[in-house]
Amino acid sequence: MQTPVKLIEAMDSLTENHEWGGATEMPEDVLAPDDWRLKAILNYRAETKRRDSSKAKQAEERIKRYFAINNISNPYAQAFILRKIGTAQIEILRITGLSKNDYYNHIGMLFRSKKNYGHLRVLDVEAMLRKANLKLLLEGRQWEK
């Protein structure tokens, strides 16, 4: 996303007029609620938040499509792959549609002895899946006993 011209002008104005406070001071603390600079900053924040959620949803759809292309329709297999590459649990549940109980009973117990928990978010997972060897990840299909 390219930085909007209004935001650049607002930030430059704060710097030129020495209205910017200390390192911990927020623009809301310095500017009046109806100031055009504050409105530009808040609009940029809102737009960034909206785009981030949109990017996450698109990445989630691409991950689901990736599994479909590679004929991995079993949600437990999908969850196993995602957990193995370090995906956060909430992301795994959202992508696979598994309940917490199903996840814990089939996938969570396989990784119980591992001390590192998943931390990757959807955008990182998508990049990891493109580089991963899915056949190698699925070698130990312990959930199918």
Side-chain angles (χ1 to χ4, degrees), residues 1-133:
M1 177 175 158
Q2 193 173 20
T3 308
V5 176
K6 280 197 165 217
L7 179 67
I8 294 170
E9 290 172 358
M11 299 303 285
D12 287 345
S13 170
L14 286 171
T15 304
E16 288 169 6
N17 299 331
H18 303 290
E19 293 180 53
W20 197 254
T24 59
E25 213 166 21
M26 299 295 289
E28 297 92 272
D29 300 334
V30 177
L31 300 172
D34 60 342
D35 193 320
W36 68 272
R37 297 170 294 187
L38 181 60
K39 289 179 182 177
I41 292 168
L42 295 178
N43 283 342
Y44 179 73
R45 286 183 190 167
E47 183 68 21
T48 302
K49 189 174 184 177
R50 188 187 60 76
R51 285 182 187 227
D52 285 348
S53 66
S54 173
K55 282 182 187 178
K57 287 178 186 172
Q58 290 171 356
E60 189 177 316
E61 289 301 317
R62 286 190 297 264
I63 291 168
K64 288 178 182 178
R65 221 175 308 128
Y66 183 79
F67 283 138
I69 289 169
N70 288 291
N71 295 323
I72 302 173
S73 58
N74 183 341
Y76 297 110
Q78 293 173 358
F80 184 79
I81 290 170
L82 293 171
R83 175 60 180 90
K84 200 157 186 179
I85 62 173
T87 310
Q89 177 186 332
I90 192 165
E91 303 291 351
I92 294 172
L93 297 178
R94 188 179 307 129
I95 292 169
T96 61
L98 292 173
S99 69
K100 276 188 178 182
N101 279 341
D102 286 341
Y103 175 79
Y104 285 134
N105 292 335
H106 294 87
I107 305 302
M109 62 183 272
L110 300 174
F111 293 95
R112 195 167 283 151
S113 63
K114 307 275 189 272
K115 293 297 178 194
N116 61 338
Y117 297 98
H119 62 279
L120 291 179
R121 294 289 171 204
V122 175
L123 295 171
D124 301 328
V125 170
E126 182 188 5
M128 290 290 290
L129 278 177
R130 280 193 239 137
K131 298 290 183 185
N133 182 347

